[in-house]
Amino acid sequence: NAINRLQILQNRAIRNVYHLNYLHNRCDMYTKHKKLPIRGNCLLRTALMVYSSYNNLNHNSLEFTKRNNSRHGLLFFQSHSANNYGTKCITCFGPRVFNFLPESVRSCTSYGKFKSDLLGFLLDPSTMNKLFEKRFLNITLPY
């Protein structure tokens, strides 16, 4: 409920900054000005953390196991939780976010390339429409 209120405030702030009509389409507004909504920022940070942890670019104890099936490329096992709190944990939600990304983004070899391709994917109009759905990725988002 708080995220929805924050999203409304963010929409209002962008409309005021860029002098847009209050009826302006929010997906067009975000893609035109290259801004991410709140859910998009959380997905960006989650995917960056999973990529960093898997490639040992940061010092944390998170470990993600890769599937051995080469047909699917770089996909991670998704752990399942018995309660709602567990589904919001990075070890459960992170692989789901990373597996949602297209193969071209997942297979990047450098952190900078991964981040720029990920931003390009999230700012795509078809992806932007999905970011405003509450049940995105078939689970309640952890924010």
Side-chain angles (χ1 to χ4, degrees):
N1 196 14
I3 289 298
N4 291 334
R5 286 188 230 154
L6 286 174
Q7 188 61 60
I8 290 169
L9 289 174
Q10 185 184 21
N11 295 343
R12 195 177 297 164
I14 289 179
R15 285 185 180 114
N16 285 337
V17 166
Y18 294 109
H19 305 292
L20 300 173
N21 186 0
Y22 72 96
L23 294 175
H24 199 290
N25 186 354
R26 63 184 176 187
C27 294
D28 294 340
M29 176 176 63
Y30 282 100
T31 54
K32 179 181 175 187
H33 298 292
K34 296 186 180 357
K35 304 287 182 202
L36 285 176
I38 293 174
R39 287 187 177 97
N41 280 323
C42 280
L43 289 176
L44 174 74
R45 296 296 166 203
T46 302
L48 289 174
M49 180 174 277
V50 171
Y51 182 84
S52 301
S53 296
Y54 181 72
N55 292 313
N56 296 324
L57 299 176
N58 58 3
H59 304 290
N60 60 21
S61 61
L62 293 175
E63 290 188 19
F64 299 101
T65 55
K66 186 177 122 176
R67 290 184 186 175
N68 292 329
N69 191 350
S70 62
R71 181 179 66 163
H72 296 292
L74 180 62
L75 292 177
F76 293 118
F77 282 113
Q78 297 178 11
S79 62
H80 299 284
S81 176
N83 56 22
N84 195 21
Y85 178 76
T87 59
K88 297 176 183 182
C89 182
I90 186 72
T91 56
C92 185
F93 183 68
R96 186 170 293 202
V97 168
F98 198 81
N99 292 344
F100 168 73
L101 302 177
E103 178 66 30
S104 60
V105 176
R106 285 192 312 252
S107 62
C108 290
T109 56
S110 71
Y111 184 80
K113 177 89 170 115
F114 176 75
K115 187 174 181 179
S116 65
D117 288 356
L118 179 60
L119 275 171
F121 172 70
L122 291 175
L123 290 172
D124 186 64
S126 62
T127 308
M128 188 66 70
N129 286 329
K130 294 177 186 175
L131 290 177
F132 287 105
E133 296 174 7
K134 288 183 182 180
R135 300 290 296 171
F136 182 57
L137 297 177
N138 296 329
I139 62 167
T140 304
L141 296 174
Y143 37 82

